[in-house]
Amino acid sequence: MAKNTNSKRAERMGKNNRNLNLAMKLLTVGFLAEFYLLLVNNYFVKGAVGQVLIMATVLKVLFYLGCALVGGGVVLLALHGKKKLFAQLSSWFLAGGVFLTLSSQLMLKVYPQGTTFLYIIVPVIMILGIVFLMYQREFSVQTLALSASIGAMLLLNRSVGKTNWTAIAKGCSALAALGVLVLLVLVFLASRNDGCIRTLRVFPLGTDYKLTYAVLAVCLIAILTALFVSGTAFYGTWVLSILLFILAVYYTVKML
């Protein structure tokens, strides 16, 4: 019995250490990506005409560099995928290449909104990834729903009085509501199958789903209210942000 207990404790500590290392890597990569995007924003969006033209050329070069990295990653993965070093290099090449390729094209084709979107969404993805690695699974689901809902609130609030933004904001908010609804269905399916969706374990055994249901319901109601009742998006942003902070404190204390 003691050996089993020690084995489970060692396994849990090993998993926590691996997750911590992954979270630190994600934090570092996210910081570097955000620094790069803010640098582009400073010279490509806010810069003088000469700086904008130079940065446009740089972004075109980075697009081809990204394509080369993707190609190199695929080659490394195909030739030496079973070796740990080459597998890690191929993953870095692929991730960096895909980021440079897609981000450079988005910033060039959608100017200047593409750059703004990227430097907002990158830290959000980084934080969601860290939450997924370090916190309880139910808090990850709640954070994802709240982040999407807060984003919808911000878009709807910004679109007030701006006709060209209204359709985009409402469309994105409808997608956010659909995403929250999908999460609600997935949580329901998992709760009916001891935390699993088919054979994939999503939540640990004994998970209490009441709070998750409540948070998802609040998110869905907030988005729908903001869509149909003008002026509520501003207050919805604050309510959902405060709720996210309270949940973060609650789950942090729960981990101690």
Side-chain angles (χ1 to χ4, degrees), residues 64-97:
Y64 293 111
L65 176 61
C67 292
L69 287 173
V70 171
V74 171
V75 171
L76 282 174
L77 188 62
L79 296 178
H80 306 286
K82 293 182 179 180
K83 296 182 179 180
K84 185 177 180 181
L85 176 61
F86 287 105
Q88 290 178 343
L89 282 175
S90 66
S91 63
W92 283 107
F93 276 29
L94 287 170

Side-chain angles (χ1 to χ4, degrees), residues 100-129:
L100 288 177
T101 302
L102 295 181
S103 64
S104 59
Q105 281 299 290
L106 182 61
M107 288 187 283
L108 285 169
K109 301 296 184 183
V110 186
Y111 181 86
Q113 291 87 353
T115 307
T116 305
F117 170 78
L118 284 172
Y119 77 69
I120 291 174
I121 200 66
V122 163
V124 172
I125 293 174
M126 178 187 68
I127 292 171
L128 288 173

Side-chain angles (χ1 to χ4, degrees), residues 18-163:
R18 287 193 299 271
N19 287 345
L20 179 60
N21 290 333
L22 286 173
M24 292 303 297
K25 288 179 182 178
L26 182 60
L27 181 63
T28 303
V29 170
F31 174 80
L32 292 174
E34 185 68 5
F35 178 78
Y36 159 72
L37 292 170
L38 289 174
L39 192 66
V40 173
N41 182 69
N42 188 53
Y43 292 105
F44 189 52
V45 177
K46 298 181 179 179
V49 176
Q51 293 173 325
V52 172
L53 293 176
I54 291 172
M55 188 54 68
T57 304
V58 170
L59 288 174
K60 291 176 183 177
V61 172
L62 289 176
F63 168 74
Y64 293 111
L65 176 61
C67 292
L69 287 173
V70 171
V74 171
V75 171
L76 282 174
L77 188 62
L79 296 178
H80 306 286
K82 293 182 179 180
K83 296 182 179 180
K84 185 177 180 181
L85 176 61
F86 287 105
Q88 290 178 343
L89 282 175
S90 66
S91 63
W92 283 107
F93 276 29
L94 287 170
V98 169
F99 174 75
L100 288 177
T101 302
L102 295 181
S103 64
S104 59
Q105 281 299 290
L106 182 61
M107 288 187 283
L108 285 169
K109 301 296 184 183
V110 186
Y111 181 86
Q113 291 87 353
T115 307
T116 305
F117 170 78
L118 284 172
Y119 77 69
I120 291 174
I121 200 66
V122 163
V124 172
I125 293 174
M126 178 187 68
I127 292 171
L128 288 173
I130 292 173
V131 168
F132 178 82
L133 289 168
M134 301 302 298
Y135 281 83
Q136 299 89 335
R137 194 66 72 242
E138 56 267 33
F139 182 51
S140 301
V141 173
Q142 295 166 17
T143 304
L144 179 60
L146 284 166
S147 299
S149 303
I150 291 170
M153 297 293 108
L154 290 172
L155 278 175
L156 289 169
N157 185 56
R158 186 172 181 177
S159 69
V160 175
K162 298 178 182 178
T163 308

